[in-house]
């Protein structure tokens, strides 16, 4: 399954166009490698997404073409959610 579609169907990102834009900006990694929207996602892959000032890492558990909102979280397991350290030392 394409990365942008997985992010949308799993509801990690609500819209596929936003998932595509985030991937093109280099804010999504699959198994530690920067990934394009068309990158292939497989079961067992670890996906890291930068949301503003935090990183969210999940493991892909299953791939389905469509899913209901209450079942979407079953497509992945949350591994880590961590703040991004600011490099300039300022807290604003």
């Amino acid at each position: 399954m394409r990365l942008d579609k997985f992010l949308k169907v799993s509801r990690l990102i609500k819209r596929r166009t936003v998932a595509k834009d985030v991937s093109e900006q280099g804010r999504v990694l699959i198994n530690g490698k920067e990934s394009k929207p068309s990158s292939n996602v497989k079961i067992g892959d670890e996906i890291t997404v930068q949301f503003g000032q935090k990183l969210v890492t999940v493991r892909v558990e299953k791939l389905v073409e469509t899913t209901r909102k209450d079942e979407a979280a079953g497509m992945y397991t949350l591994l880590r959610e961590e703040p991004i350290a600011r490099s300039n030392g300022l807290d604003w």
Side-chain angles (χ1 to χ4, degrees):
M1 174 180 287
R2 286 175 55 109
L3 174 61
D4 57 347
K5 183 167 184 176
F6 176 81
L7 293 172
K8 187 247 187 230
V9 173
S10 67
R11 293 190 172 63
L12 283 166
I13 297 179
K14 293 186 189 227
R15 284 184 236 115
R16 190 166 177 178
T17 54
V18 175
K20 180 178 178 283
D21 292 343
V22 168
S23 300
E24 288 174 344
Q25 294 169 5
R27 294 170 40 198
V28 181
L29 307 175
I30 298 177
N31 298 323
K33 296 180 183 173
E34 197 171 297
S35 302
K36 298 179 184 177
S38 61
S39 296
N40 206 21
V41 174
K42 301 177 297 296
I43 292 173
D45 283 348
E46 286 190 13
I47 299 175
T48 302
V49 183
Q50 178 185 344
F51 292 105
Q53 292 301 313
K54 71 177 178 177
L55 291 176
V56 175
T57 303
V58 300
R59 182 182 326 109
V60 178
E61 298 296 341
K62 67 180 179 179
L63 301 172
V64 293
E65 293 297 314
T66 60
T67 187
R68 294 193 339 235
K69 186 176 182 179
D70 57 337
E71 297 171 347
M75 292 181 67
Y76 61 88
T77 300
L78 180 64
L79 300 176
R80 293 183 288 290
E81 189 171 326
E82 53 199 348
I84 297 172
R86 296 189 181 245
S87 59
N88 62 6
L90 299 176
D91 225 10
W92 51 276

